[in-house]
Amino acid sequence: MEASALSISNSISISSIALLTASLGNKHSRRHFAFEKSPSRRCFVVKNVASKKQQEKLVEPPAIEEKGVALDALKPDSVSVISSIKYHAEFTPSFSPELFELPKAYYATAESVRDMLIINWNATYDYYEKINVKQAYYLSMEYLQGRALLNAIGNLELKGAYAEALKKLGYDLEDVAGQEPDAALGNGGLGRLASCFLDSMATLNYPAWGYGLRYRYGLFKQLITKDGQEEVAENWLEMGNPWEIVRNDISYPIKFYGKVIQGQDGRKEWVGGEDIIAVAYDVPIPGYKTKTTINLRLWSTKVAAEVFDLHAFNAGDHAKAYEAMKRAEKICYILYPGDESYEGKTLRLKQQYTLCSASLQDIIARFERRSGEQVNWEKFPEKVAVQMNDTHPTLCIPELIRILVDVKGLSWEEAWGITQRTVAYTNHTVLPEALEKWSLNLLQELLPRHVEIIRMIDAELIDIIIKEYGSEDLDLLHEKLKQMRILDNIELPSSVLDLLVKSQESLLNNSLTEEQDPESDAAIKPTDKEEVTKLEEEEEDKEIEVSKAEDPAKKVKSIFQSDTKQPQLVRMANLCVVGGHAVNGVAEIHSDIVKEEVFNDFYKLWPKKFQNKTNGVTPRRWLEFCNPELSKIITKWTGSDDWLINTEKLVELRKFADNEDLQSEWREVKMSNKKKIVSFLKEKTGYVVSPDAMFDVQIKRIHEYKRQLMNILGIVYRYKKMKEMSPEERKAKFVPRVCLFGGKAFATYVQAKRIVKFITDVGATINHDPEIGDLLKVIFVPDYNVSVAEVLIPGSELSQHISTAGMEASGTSNMKFAMNGCILIGTLDGANVEIREEVGEDNFFLFGARAHEIAGLRKERAEGKFVADPRFEEVKAFVRSGVFGTYNYNELMGSLEGNEGYGRADYFLVEKDFPSYIECQEKVDEAYRDQKNWTKMSILNTAGSSKFSSDRTIHQYARDIWMIEPVILP
């Protein structure tokens, strides 16, 4: 029977539903979903429904309080899976009933899997509630999850049952899974890291919860046209999301604008303004080989129904009628809306505050419920850990204080202490533009109460800085305050200015007293009366001069006055450092830069607050599920699949790296994965490439510091040299390569979009050059996301991680590539440093300047001392010759020229590192010709990935920052 014509019978009876429910328990009982209600909550639970004979013996069917017995039995076979899928196709319809086509098969299958997740999910949180465990809450603006179906059934160990069931229904599991759109909740490494962390938290049984926003359109869907990148709205929610459950009973008020008033009791109240509602959507996150299933709670925004202006609508003013509704809804339309305009900045800030406020209200409600009638707020940090993933959730700090002080009635000292012990901050960047700064005026307008709180925190910090550095040396103090204050270019509080003036007056008086001291060496003892009078007059004149020159008030004012020509800003990263109890970088070199450069003054003040937590990736998704053939080989040669939980076991591959049998199997799997890429590229781009070529890949967010520009200029240099050679010389000199790019340029990042256009133009020229043929291909893969990465990474042989040293915090794609046996070419930046140490220097292609050299090299350029490499000049001239089309690349090439100026002077050192880069690429060609040694290098890269599991990272967070322990369900 053709799958597309397979009809689901309309006569699915209660007996077939019973078959579904029977698969979830033992042979003698059935289970159904019911709602359990209590005064404080309403949630899904699973209860036993006994037979009539059993009910005679039981007063009440036992609820799953003894969860272990029931959950251990949840291993349905293919027959019960078929019944479950049929049930959802019939009774949870997202499509018309006539046909069972691929989209419908996916939704029914996903809903079938979700049933089992809900059981574990409820059991997990019922148990957490019961024992009142300390819980970690991870707040992130991004979660780049990818497809959920294969990950869920893989973690539940049900892939075989579902594959067999779908085969009997006429479909392949992979085809059904391919119908799932990637969840458009993230963009780059920040979001993918957050998703890996959730997987590891669940797998390791840590009590944790993720919070984010439910973006309707995500970032954007990327189209690659003759004009380069074009953006259209992402439609991932168009057909609904079978993994989420809307919690209409869980919603919280969010306020913007308004004003702050003070009551008779002295308590502040934020009133008026614009009110919206944040509604919870929950997504279950299953652990691997464990019953623990944690939650990702996403917030969507709306307004109350009464806000809709029915009178205006009936009067024909429809725009006015739903104006408030649209204002609320658009908060969750787009990830990172353009912030060039004031409106764009306002929307971004609204997004960040919505995430923080709704999440904290939810966390506090849970804490109060678990505490019972007597709430001890001092125990809040003992039960709650809040991790801010980058600076986007910084408003957690003033928001938590606001709730504790204004709503719960705590004192400032109590609330400030609780907040500092609860919140922690992960820094992900050293780039100045990524260390968020918000306009004080915008914050004041949108969140007036929070600005009051931030001012109080800033005042606390100023006191600490003055105690640390004193008030004698005003220039030193000014420099420290300039670097460390939360409020940038904003006058010091008047009380602090008065203190500094008094300090200077005291110093001045002490200085004058010393000069007049008759016992001092400088004292003069004249005997002549006229001489005495003369000296007195001179001393009086001197005091007047000193008074004029060093009037303390004028001196303090002149040093600490703000610059009216510069904006007044709030530095969110500084607020994170001050307001939290821990700050961590995400790779060793990054954490060193954070301590030595970015936050050096804070590090000197609070050295114990700063930590390193090198990022990791989940080996389940990024090896077992996306590269199952290689995973089988690893399991075979290491003796078990324990490496999926304990990646330290991967090091055992090292002793087999020279084994010819392993190498043969390894190459066979790599070729199989390369052929999948060939098919994928043909489908997505129309290009046909040879699987025998080296697959050279750079897939990541398009940014100047990541230097996709250097990669494509290296390709241009390669192409130019090929054109200057005979066919025989080309084949002798160059290894065939397929150079793949993927990644999104932010919609308003003009230079990044120029780079995308340049790559596509170079590809269009080279790929249609008959002289070059399969010796070189250049392809930009459109709309890069997790699912694309899962295809490209397993078949990649060389991966480029070539950022300017000191600018990439960590990177996680480098770990994914190495884990899949791909060899890296890169700089000593981010996690590259640690990867190279683990895989071995001989198995990593290194080039480029080191991080400690960058500042000196930029200075050298600014002073006009840099000497250009003739090969780089040759490449630029070749580009400008028009060989790649009529597009004007003067702006792009111009950014690499000159000695100073915004957008010029090669800030990211492409030209400086270019000679080293192309020479390193020649070594790559040479190494690839020796396939035996290349395969050994590939095996050693996988073996060296043992320390780059997100499981290891999460263990460190749990131990060093969150102070939580694993909780195993009974």
Side-chain angles (χ1 to χ4, degrees), residues 151 159 192 196 617-635 638 643-644 647 650 653 666 669-670 673 676 789-790 793-795 815-822 938-939 941-943 945-946 949:
N151 189 70
K159 186 174 181 180
R192 185 52 237 170
C196 281
V617 301
T618 166
R620 273 80 62 184
R621 179 180 286 272
W622 293 110
L623 191 48
E624 166 74 354
F625 302 151
C626 76
N627 200 347
E629 293 174 333
L630 186 63
S631 298
K632 289 176 183 176
I633 291 176
I634 294 170
T635 296
T638 59
W643 59 271
L644 282 165
T647 51
L650 290 173
L653 287 171
W666 201 272
V669 167
K670 183 64 75 171
N673 288 326
K676 291 176 184 176
E790 288 171 338
I793 290 174
M815 301 171 188
K816 297 163 195 165
F817 279 103
M819 194 175 278
N820 281 270
C822 181
S938 175
I939 294 169
N941 265 267
T942 298
S945 302
S946 61
S949 166

Short mmCIF file of all heavy atoms in Angstrom, two decimals, residues 151 159 192 196 617-635 638 643-644 647 650 653 666 669-670 673 676 789-790 793-795 815-822 938-939 941-943 945-946 949:
data_model
loop_
_atom_site.label_atom_id
_atom_site.label_comp_id
_atom_site.label_asym_id
_atom_site.label_seq_id
_atom_site.Cartn_x
_atom_site.Cartn_y
_atom_site.Cartn_z
N ASN A 151 15.77 12.89 18.90
CA ASN A 151 16.44 13.07 20.18
C ASN A 151 15.61 12.45 21.31
O ASN A 151 16.14 11.77 22.19
CB ASN A 151 16.66 14.55 20.44
CG ASN A 151 17.54 14.81 21.64
OD1 ASN A 151 18.73 14.56 21.62
ND2 ASN A 151 16.95 15.32 22.71
N LYS A 159 14.03 4.00 19.70
CA LYS A 159 14.21 4.20 18.27
C LYS A 159 13.81 2.96 17.48
O LYS A 159 13.14 3.04 16.44
CB LYS A 159 15.65 4.57 17.95
CG LYS A 159 15.87 4.92 16.49
CD LYS A 159 17.28 5.43 16.23
CE LYS A 159 17.46 5.79 14.76
NZ LYS A 159 18.83 6.30 14.48
N ARG A 192 22.60 27.09 21.21
CA ARG A 192 22.88 25.66 21.13
C ARG A 192 23.49 25.16 22.44
O ARG A 192 23.19 24.06 22.90
CB ARG A 192 23.81 25.38 19.95
CG ARG A 192 24.07 23.92 19.70
CD ARG A 192 22.78 23.10 19.58
NE ARG A 192 22.74 22.01 20.54
CZ ARG A 192 21.68 21.26 20.77
NH1 ARG A 192 20.55 21.48 20.13
NH2 ARG A 192 21.72 20.30 21.67
N CYS A 196 22.17 22.10 24.79
CA CYS A 196 23.04 21.00 25.24
C CYS A 196 23.01 20.89 26.76
O CYS A 196 22.99 19.79 27.32
CB CYS A 196 24.47 21.22 24.75
SG CYS A 196 24.77 20.77 23.02
N VAL A 617 29.49 19.89 24.63
CA VAL A 617 28.32 19.56 23.80
C VAL A 617 27.84 18.17 24.19
O VAL A 617 28.61 17.34 24.69
CB VAL A 617 28.66 19.61 22.30
CG1 VAL A 617 29.15 21.00 21.91
CG2 VAL A 617 29.72 18.57 21.93
N THR A 618 26.56 17.91 23.95
CA THR A 618 26.04 16.60 24.31
C THR A 618 26.45 15.55 23.28
O THR A 618 26.19 15.72 22.07
CB THR A 618 24.50 16.61 24.45
OG1 THR A 618 24.02 15.27 24.47
CG2 THR A 618 23.84 17.34 23.29
N PRO A 619 27.10 14.47 23.72
CA PRO A 619 27.51 13.42 22.77
C PRO A 619 26.35 12.60 22.24
O PRO A 619 26.51 11.87 21.28
CB PRO A 619 28.47 12.55 23.61
CG PRO A 619 28.01 12.76 25.01
CD PRO A 619 27.51 14.17 25.10
N ARG A 620 25.18 12.73 22.90
CA ARG A 620 24.03 11.99 22.37
C ARG A 620 23.59 12.58 21.03
O ARG A 620 23.64 11.90 19.99
CB ARG A 620 22.86 12.05 23.37
CG ARG A 620 22.89 10.96 24.43
CD ARG A 620 23.86 11.25 25.55
NE ARG A 620 23.49 12.47 26.27
CZ ARG A 620 24.21 13.01 27.26
NH1 ARG A 620 25.36 12.46 27.62
NH2 ARG A 620 23.81 14.09 27.88
N ARG A 621 23.22 13.85 21.02
CA ARG A 621 22.78 14.45 19.76
C ARG A 621 23.93 14.55 18.77
O ARG A 621 23.75 14.29 17.58
CB ARG A 621 22.19 15.84 20.00
CG ARG A 621 21.73 16.52 18.70
CD ARG A 621 21.16 17.90 18.93
NE ARG A 621 19.85 17.89 19.52
CZ ARG A 621 18.70 17.83 18.84
NH1 ARG A 621 18.71 17.74 17.51
NH2 ARG A 621 17.55 17.85 19.45
N TRP A 622 25.11 14.95 19.24
CA TRP A 622 26.17 15.32 18.31
C TRP A 622 27.10 14.17 17.92
O TRP A 622 28.08 14.39 17.23
CB TRP A 622 26.96 16.50 18.85
CG TRP A 622 26.11 17.72 18.87
CD1 TRP A 622 25.60 18.38 19.94
CD2 TRP A 622 25.58 18.40 17.71
NE1 TRP A 622 24.80 19.42 19.55
CE2 TRP A 622 24.77 19.46 18.18
CE3 TRP A 622 25.71 18.21 16.34
CZ2 TRP A 622 24.11 20.34 17.32
CZ3 TRP A 622 25.05 19.08 15.49
CH2 TRP A 622 24.26 20.12 15.97
N LEU A 623 26.77 12.95 18.34
CA LEU A 623 27.51 11.80 17.84
C LEU A 623 26.59 10.60 17.68
O LEU A 623 26.40 10.10 16.58
CB LEU A 623 28.69 11.48 18.79
CG LEU A 623 29.73 10.47 18.28
CD1 LEU A 623 30.17 10.79 16.86
CD2 LEU A 623 30.93 10.45 19.20
N GLU A 624 25.95 10.17 18.75
CA GLU A 624 25.09 8.98 18.68
C GLU A 624 23.94 9.15 17.71
O GLU A 624 23.69 8.28 16.86
CB GLU A 624 24.57 8.67 20.09
CG GLU A 624 23.40 7.69 20.14
CD GLU A 624 23.81 6.24 19.90
OE1 GLU A 624 24.98 5.99 19.56
OE2 GLU A 624 22.95 5.36 20.02
N PHE A 625 23.21 10.27 17.80
CA PHE A 625 22.00 10.41 16.99
C PHE A 625 22.27 10.95 15.59
O PHE A 625 21.58 10.59 14.64
CB PHE A 625 20.99 11.32 17.71
CG PHE A 625 20.59 10.82 19.07
CD1 PHE A 625 20.21 11.71 20.06
CD2 PHE A 625 20.62 9.48 19.38
CE1 PHE A 625 19.84 11.27 21.33
CE2 PHE A 625 20.26 9.02 20.64
CZ PHE A 625 19.88 9.91 21.62
N CYS A 626 23.27 11.82 15.44
CA CYS A 626 23.52 12.37 14.10
C CYS A 626 24.54 11.54 13.32
O CYS A 626 24.66 11.70 12.11
CB CYS A 626 23.97 13.84 14.19
SG CYS A 626 25.67 14.09 14.71
N ASN A 627 25.28 10.69 14.00
CA ASN A 627 26.31 9.88 13.33
C ASN A 627 26.27 8.45 13.88
O ASN A 627 27.23 7.97 14.49
CB ASN A 627 27.69 10.51 13.57
CG ASN A 627 28.73 10.04 12.55
OD1 ASN A 627 28.50 9.08 11.81
ND2 ASN A 627 29.87 10.70 12.52
N PRO A 628 25.14 7.76 13.69
CA PRO A 628 24.97 6.43 14.33
C PRO A 628 25.98 5.39 13.85
O PRO A 628 26.36 4.52 14.63
CB PRO A 628 23.54 6.05 13.94
CG PRO A 628 23.20 6.88 12.74
CD PRO A 628 23.96 8.16 12.91
N GLU A 629 26.41 5.49 12.59
CA GLU A 629 27.36 4.49 12.09
C GLU A 629 28.71 4.61 12.80
O GLU A 629 29.31 3.60 13.18
CB GLU A 629 27.54 4.65 10.58
CG GLU A 629 26.28 4.32 9.79
CD GLU A 629 26.44 4.63 8.31
OE1 GLU A 629 27.23 5.52 7.96
OE2 GLU A 629 25.77 3.98 7.49
N LEU A 630 29.17 5.83 12.98
CA LEU A 630 30.43 6.02 13.71
C LEU A 630 30.26 5.63 15.17
O LEU A 630 31.18 5.06 15.78
CB LEU A 630 30.89 7.47 13.59
CG LEU A 630 32.27 7.76 14.19
CD1 LEU A 630 33.36 7.00 13.44
CD2 LEU A 630 32.58 9.26 14.16
N SER A 631 29.11 5.90 15.73
CA SER A 631 28.86 5.55 17.13
C SER A 631 28.96 4.04 17.35
O SER A 631 29.49 3.58 18.37
CB SER A 631 27.47 6.04 17.56
OG SER A 631 27.40 7.44 17.47
N LYS A 632 28.44 3.27 16.40
CA LYS A 632 28.54 1.81 16.51
C LYS A 632 29.99 1.35 16.51
O LYS A 632 30.37 0.45 17.25
CB LYS A 632 27.78 1.15 15.35
CG LYS A 632 26.27 1.28 15.44
CD LYS A 632 25.59 0.70 14.21
CE LYS A 632 24.08 0.91 14.27
NZ LYS A 632 23.41 0.45 13.03
N ILE A 633 30.80 2.00 15.68
CA ILE A 633 32.23 1.65 15.64
C ILE A 633 32.89 1.99 16.98
O ILE A 633 33.69 1.19 17.52
CB ILE A 633 32.93 2.39 14.49
CG1 ILE A 633 32.44 1.84 13.15
CG2 ILE A 633 34.45 2.28 14.60
CD1 ILE A 633 33.00 2.58 11.95
N ILE A 634 32.58 3.15 17.52
CA ILE A 634 33.17 3.55 18.80
C ILE A 634 32.77 2.57 19.89
O ILE A 634 33.61 2.13 20.70
CB ILE A 634 32.73 4.98 19.17
CG1 ILE A 634 33.31 5.99 18.17
CG2 ILE A 634 33.17 5.34 20.59
CD1 ILE A 634 32.75 7.39 18.30
N THR A 635 31.50 2.19 19.92
CA THR A 635 31.03 1.23 20.92
C THR A 635 31.73 -0.11 20.76
O THR A 635 32.15 -0.75 21.73
CB THR A 635 29.51 1.05 20.80
OG1 THR A 635 28.87 2.30 21.09
CG2 THR A 635 28.99 -0.01 21.75
N THR A 638 35.55 0.35 21.87
CA THR A 638 35.76 0.68 23.29
C THR A 638 35.13 -0.36 24.20
O THR A 638 35.36 -0.35 25.41
CB THR A 638 35.18 2.06 23.65
OG1 THR A 638 33.77 2.07 23.37
CG2 THR A 638 35.87 3.16 22.85
N TRP A 643 30.54 5.38 26.83
CA TRP A 643 31.08 6.69 26.44
C TRP A 643 29.99 7.73 26.23
O TRP A 643 30.26 8.94 26.27
CB TRP A 643 31.92 6.55 25.17
CG TRP A 643 31.18 6.01 23.99
CD1 TRP A 643 31.03 4.70 23.64
CD2 TRP A 643 30.47 6.77 23.00
NE1 TRP A 643 30.25 4.59 22.49
CE2 TRP A 643 29.91 5.84 22.08
CE3 TRP A 643 30.26 8.12 22.80
CZ2 TRP A 643 29.15 6.25 20.99
CZ3 TRP A 643 29.49 8.54 21.71
CH2 TRP A 643 28.95 7.60 20.82
N LEU A 644 28.75 7.30 26.01
CA LEU A 644 27.65 8.24 25.81
C LEU A 644 27.30 9.01 27.08
O LEU A 644 26.75 10.11 27.03
CB LEU A 644 26.41 7.51 25.30
CG LEU A 644 26.44 7.16 23.81
CD1 LEU A 644 25.38 6.13 23.48
CD2 LEU A 644 26.27 8.41 22.97
N THR A 647 32.21 10.37 28.61
CA THR A 647 33.02 10.52 27.39
C THR A 647 34.51 10.29 27.65
O THR A 647 35.27 10.19 26.69
CB THR A 647 32.83 11.92 26.78
OG1 THR A 647 33.02 12.91 27.78
CG2 THR A 647 31.45 12.06 26.18
N LEU A 650 36.19 7.65 25.62
CA LEU A 650 36.64 7.84 24.24
C LEU A 650 38.16 7.75 24.10
O LEU A 650 38.67 7.44 23.03
CB LEU A 650 36.15 9.20 23.71
CG LEU A 650 34.65 9.35 23.44
CD1 LEU A 650 34.32 10.79 23.08
CD2 LEU A 650 34.21 8.42 22.31
N LEU A 653 40.10 4.90 22.38
CA LEU A 653 40.33 4.80 20.93
C LEU A 653 41.78 5.05 20.56
O LEU A 653 42.24 4.60 19.50
CB LEU A 653 39.44 5.80 20.19
CG LEU A 653 37.93 5.49 20.12
CD1 LEU A 653 37.19 6.69 19.54
CD2 LEU A 653 37.67 4.24 19.29
N TRP A 666 36.53 3.17 9.77
CA TRP A 666 36.39 4.61 9.99
C TRP A 666 36.23 5.35 8.66
O TRP A 666 35.35 6.20 8.52
CB TRP A 666 37.63 5.10 10.74
CG TRP A 666 37.48 6.39 11.49
CD1 TRP A 666 37.68 7.66 11.01
CD2 TRP A 666 37.12 6.55 12.86
NE1 TRP A 666 37.47 8.58 11.98
CE2 TRP A 666 37.12 7.94 13.14
CE3 TRP A 666 36.79 5.67 13.88
CZ2 TRP A 666 36.82 8.45 14.40
CZ3 TRP A 666 36.49 6.17 15.14
CH2 TRP A 666 36.50 7.54 15.38
N VAL A 669 32.77 4.74 7.02
CA VAL A 669 31.70 5.55 7.61
C VAL A 669 31.81 7.00 7.16
O VAL A 669 30.80 7.64 6.82
CB VAL A 669 31.75 5.46 9.16
CG1 VAL A 669 30.86 6.54 9.78
CG2 VAL A 669 31.32 4.09 9.62
N LYS A 670 33.03 7.51 7.10
CA LYS A 670 33.20 8.90 6.66
C LYS A 670 32.72 9.07 5.22
O LYS A 670 32.04 10.05 4.90
CB LYS A 670 34.67 9.31 6.79
CG LYS A 670 34.96 10.76 6.42
CD LYS A 670 34.27 11.73 7.36
CE LYS A 670 34.93 11.82 8.70
NZ LYS A 670 34.37 12.93 9.53
N ASN A 673 28.96 9.17 5.11
CA ASN A 673 28.45 10.47 5.55
C ASN A 673 28.69 11.55 4.51
O ASN A 673 27.86 12.46 4.34
CB ASN A 673 29.10 10.87 6.89
CG ASN A 673 28.59 10.03 8.05
OD1 ASN A 673 27.43 9.62 8.08
ND2 ASN A 673 29.45 9.76 9.01
N LYS A 676 26.00 11.40 1.95
CA LYS A 676 24.77 12.03 2.42
C LYS A 676 24.83 13.54 2.19
O LYS A 676 23.83 14.16 1.83
CB LYS A 676 24.56 11.73 3.91
CG LYS A 676 24.22 10.27 4.21
CD LYS A 676 24.13 10.02 5.70
CE LYS A 676 23.89 8.53 5.99
NZ LYS A 676 23.88 8.25 7.45
N ALA A 789 23.46 21.26 10.44
CA ALA A 789 24.72 20.88 11.09
C ALA A 789 24.79 19.37 11.30
O ALA A 789 25.86 18.77 11.15
CB ALA A 789 24.85 21.61 12.42
N GLU A 790 23.66 18.76 11.61
CA GLU A 790 23.65 17.31 11.86
C GLU A 790 23.95 16.52 10.59
O GLU A 790 24.38 15.36 10.66
CB GLU A 790 22.30 16.90 12.43
CG GLU A 790 22.10 17.36 13.87
CD GLU A 790 20.70 17.15 14.39
OE1 GLU A 790 19.75 17.04 13.57
OE2 GLU A 790 20.52 17.10 15.61
N ILE A 793 28.27 18.00 9.72
CA ILE A 793 29.37 17.71 10.65
C ILE A 793 29.88 16.28 10.52
O ILE A 793 31.10 16.06 10.46
CB ILE A 793 28.97 18.06 12.09
CG1 ILE A 793 28.87 19.58 12.25
CG2 ILE A 793 29.95 17.49 13.11
CD1 ILE A 793 28.34 20.04 13.59
N PRO A 794 29.02 15.25 10.47
CA PRO A 794 29.56 13.88 10.39
C PRO A 794 30.42 13.61 9.15
O PRO A 794 31.34 12.79 9.21
CB PRO A 794 28.30 13.01 10.37
CG PRO A 794 27.27 13.83 11.08
CD PRO A 794 27.56 15.24 10.65
N GLY A 795 30.14 14.30 8.03
CA GLY A 795 30.90 14.05 6.81
C GLY A 795 32.04 15.02 6.59
O GLY A 795 32.77 14.90 5.58
N MET A 815 34.07 21.64 18.97
CA MET A 815 33.98 20.38 19.73
C MET A 815 33.17 19.34 18.96
O MET A 815 33.52 18.16 18.95
CB MET A 815 33.33 20.65 21.08
CG MET A 815 34.07 21.66 21.94
SD MET A 815 33.10 22.10 23.39
CE MET A 815 34.11 23.45 24.04
N LYS A 816 32.08 19.78 18.33
CA LYS A 816 31.24 18.84 17.58
C LYS A 816 32.01 18.23 16.41
O LYS A 816 31.90 17.03 16.13
CB LYS A 816 29.98 19.56 17.08
CG LYS A 816 29.09 20.09 18.18
CD LYS A 816 28.11 21.12 17.65
CE LYS A 816 27.46 21.90 18.78
NZ LYS A 816 26.80 23.13 18.32
N PHE A 817 32.77 19.08 15.71
CA PHE A 817 33.55 18.57 14.59
C PHE A 817 34.61 17.58 15.06
O PHE A 817 34.76 16.50 14.48
CB PHE A 817 34.21 19.74 13.85
CG PHE A 817 33.30 20.44 12.89
CD1 PHE A 817 32.73 21.67 13.22
CD2 PHE A 817 32.99 19.90 11.65
CE1 PHE A 817 31.89 22.33 12.34
CE2 PHE A 817 32.15 20.54 10.76
CZ PHE A 817 31.59 21.78 11.11
N ALA A 818 35.36 17.96 16.09
CA ALA A 818 36.40 17.06 16.59
C ALA A 818 35.81 15.74 17.07
O ALA A 818 36.37 14.67 16.82
CB ALA A 818 37.18 17.75 17.71
N MET A 819 34.67 15.81 17.74
CA MET A 819 34.01 14.61 18.26
C MET A 819 33.64 13.66 17.13
O MET A 819 33.63 12.43 17.30
CB MET A 819 32.76 15.04 19.04
CG MET A 819 32.15 13.98 19.91
SD MET A 819 30.77 14.64 20.90
CE MET A 819 31.68 15.40 22.26
N ASN A 820 33.36 14.22 15.95
CA ASN A 820 33.00 13.40 14.78
C ASN A 820 34.20 13.08 13.89
O ASN A 820 34.03 12.70 12.73
CB ASN A 820 31.92 14.12 13.97
CG ASN A 820 30.54 13.96 14.58
OD1 ASN A 820 29.81 13.02 14.26
ND2 ASN A 820 30.18 14.86 15.47
N GLY A 821 35.41 13.25 14.43
CA GLY A 821 36.60 12.87 13.70
C GLY A 821 37.01 13.83 12.61
O GLY A 821 37.69 13.44 11.65
N CYS A 822 36.61 15.08 12.73
CA CYS A 822 37.01 16.10 11.77
C CYS A 822 38.23 16.84 12.32
O CYS A 822 38.29 17.15 13.51
CB CYS A 822 35.86 17.07 11.54
SG CYS A 822 36.21 18.36 10.34
N SER A 938 42.12 11.66 12.44
CA SER A 938 40.68 11.73 12.65
C SER A 938 40.26 10.96 13.90
O SER A 938 39.49 11.46 14.73
CB SER A 938 39.96 11.19 11.42
OG SER A 938 38.57 11.13 11.61
N ILE A 939 40.78 9.75 14.04
CA ILE A 939 40.47 8.93 15.22
C ILE A 939 40.94 9.62 16.50
O ILE A 939 40.23 9.65 17.51
CB ILE A 939 41.12 7.54 15.08
CG1 ILE A 939 40.49 6.78 13.91
CG2 ILE A 939 40.99 6.74 16.38
CD1 ILE A 939 41.24 5.51 13.51
N ASN A 941 41.27 12.75 17.00
CA ASN A 941 40.41 13.89 17.31
C ASN A 941 39.17 13.44 18.08
O ASN A 941 38.78 14.09 19.05
CB ASN A 941 40.01 14.62 16.02
CG ASN A 941 40.91 15.80 15.71
OD1 ASN A 941 40.62 16.93 16.08
ND2 ASN A 941 42.03 15.52 15.05
N THR A 942 38.56 12.34 17.64
CA THR A 942 37.42 11.82 18.39
C THR A 942 37.84 11.40 19.80
O THR A 942 37.16 11.72 20.78
CB THR A 942 36.78 10.63 17.65
OG1 THR A 942 36.30 11.07 16.38
CG2 THR A 942 35.63 10.04 18.44
N ALA A 943 38.97 10.72 19.89
CA ALA A 943 39.46 10.28 21.20
C ALA A 943 39.76 11.47 22.11
O ALA A 943 39.53 11.42 23.32
CB ALA A 943 40.72 9.43 21.03
N SER A 945 38.22 14.21 22.27
CA SER A 945 37.03 14.98 22.61
C SER A 945 36.45 14.59 23.95
O SER A 945 35.37 15.06 24.33
CB SER A 945 35.96 14.78 21.53
OG SER A 945 36.43 15.16 20.27
N SER A 946 37.15 13.74 24.68
CA SER A 946 36.61 13.16 25.90
C SER A 946 36.23 14.21 26.95
O SER A 946 35.34 13.99 27.75
CB SER A 946 37.62 12.18 26.50
OG SER A 946 38.83 12.85 26.82
N SER A 949 32.36 17.21 26.76
CA SER A 949 30.95 16.86 26.90
C SER A 949 30.27 17.89 27.79
O SER A 949 30.84 18.33 28.80
CB SER A 949 30.80 15.47 27.51
OG SER A 949 29.48 15.27 27.95
#
